[in-house]
Amino acid sequence: MDVQIEASWKKYLAPVFSEPFFQQLVLHIKTEKQAGKIIYPSGKDIFAAFEHTPFDQVKVVILGQDPYHGPGQAHGLSFSVPSGVKPPPSLVNIFKELHKDVGMPIPTTGNLIPWAKQGVLLLNASLTVRANEPGSHAAIGWLTFTDYVIDLLVKEKQGVVFMLWGRFAREKAAKIPSYRHLVLEAAHPSPFSADKGFFGCKHFSKTNQWLVQQGQDPINWSLT
């Protein structure tokens, strides 16, 4: 199956695209669309995280669960929304923690593409979702695909920072050897849990300290 994805990722992921589970995944999405279901993000944005952050440039992974399931919000990057779209509550809390951690002014945009361009892979565990139905595509094969992506990064790269927020993301920690990578765990930035360990986690400054120790450029978290 010829999937349109950034070239460096395609080199590594091509075998997966030929797997029966992935072909069934694509068929499932096509069937839902033919039945009139609205799927987010749009087709051109499903692999946007990979387009903006080529494999060789990945320094940090921020793992989300689902794309946003409301109109106009999802554009293929975890926690990010397109320019001009009001930042959702979880993203607002991320910005609050950034402000407290590194003194960054609260951004006026929720578009995180500038992070992605610096090597922050904004990866959702499921790359699609039905409108207004969170978790609706969690069981169609995406988790197998994104687990493969995580395993690939763990094995092929060294010194990647994995930010794992919330129970779902933190379950991935067992897959990531701490002697090769930095694993940062915290509560989810959702308003329901941010005060249970996300606020005060200082993951952004810890990430940059690690990158500098690894001889890499720190991330400029500013979006202005």
Side-chain angles (χ1 to χ4, degrees):
M1 180 174 292
D2 185 23
V3 176
Q4 299 304 306
I5 193 171
E6 193 274 332
S8 67
W9 280 104
K10 189 167 189 175
K11 180 178 71 172
Y12 287 102
L13 297 176
V16 183
F17 297 143
S18 299
E19 291 281 341
F21 89 87
F22 192 85
Q23 296 175 26
Q24 283 297 117
L25 184 161
V26 172
L27 179 60
H28 185 104
I29 293 172
K30 286 182 177 178
T31 301
E32 287 197 356
K33 287 184 175 180
Q34 289 169 355
K37 300 289 186 181
I38 297 174
I39 307 296
Y40 297 129
S42 64
K44 67 179 177 61
D45 287 332
I46 290 175
F47 295 106
F50 303 91
E51 296 295 334
H52 291 297
T53 313
F55 180 84
D56 295 338
Q57 296 178 21
V58 176
K59 299 193 290 189
V60 180
V61 178
I62 298 181
L63 184 64
Q65 189 164 352
D66 260 351
Y68 294 121
H69 52 85
Q73 292 181 308
H75 67 147
L77 306 173
S78 63
F79 295 103
S80 180
V81 290
S83 300
V85 175
K86 181 181 178 181
S90 291
L91 185 54
V92 170
N93 285 339
I94 290 171
F95 290 159
K96 288 179 180 178
E97 174 58 22
L98 259 168
H99 174 68
K100 292 178 183 176
D101 185 12
V102 300
M104 187 191 82
I106 301 294
T108 57
T109 178
N111 190 329
L112 305 183
I113 286 178
W115 294 1
K117 295 294 188 184
Q118 297 177 75
V120 181
L121 181 65
L122 297 164
L123 180 68
N124 279 315
S126 294
L127 300 192
T128 58
V129 69
R130 284 196 300 271
N132 304 314
E133 295 185 50
S136 51
H137 282 179
I140 69 170
W142 280 127
L143 301 190
T144 301
F145 174 76
T146 51
D147 274 355
Y148 185 94
V149 171
I150 293 170
D151 289 343
L152 182 66
L153 290 167
V154 165
K155 294 172 184 174
E156 297 291 334
K157 297 184 73 72
Q158 181 129 2
V160 175
V161 182
F162 289 86
M163 293 190 190
L164 306 179
W165 299 334
R167 180 185 59 80
F168 175 85
R170 295 173 78 171
E171 289 175 352
K172 307 297 182 185
K175 302 167 66 69
I176 307 166
S178 58
Y179 64 86
R180 286 179 62 88
H181 306 283
L182 178 63
V183 178
L184 299 175
E185 299 184 53
H188 195 277
S190 158
F192 300 106
S193 55
D195 60 354
K196 296 179 174 65
F198 179 77
F199 288 142
C201 70
K202 298 186 180 296
H203 279 188
F204 303 98
S205 60
K206 289 176 180 177
T207 291
N208 278 349
Q209 289 166 9
W210 168 268
L211 291 174
V212 170
Q213 289 170 4
Q214 299 293 309
Q216 300 194 69
D217 292 334
I219 305 300
N220 176 6
W221 298 110
S222 174
L223 295 172
T224 57

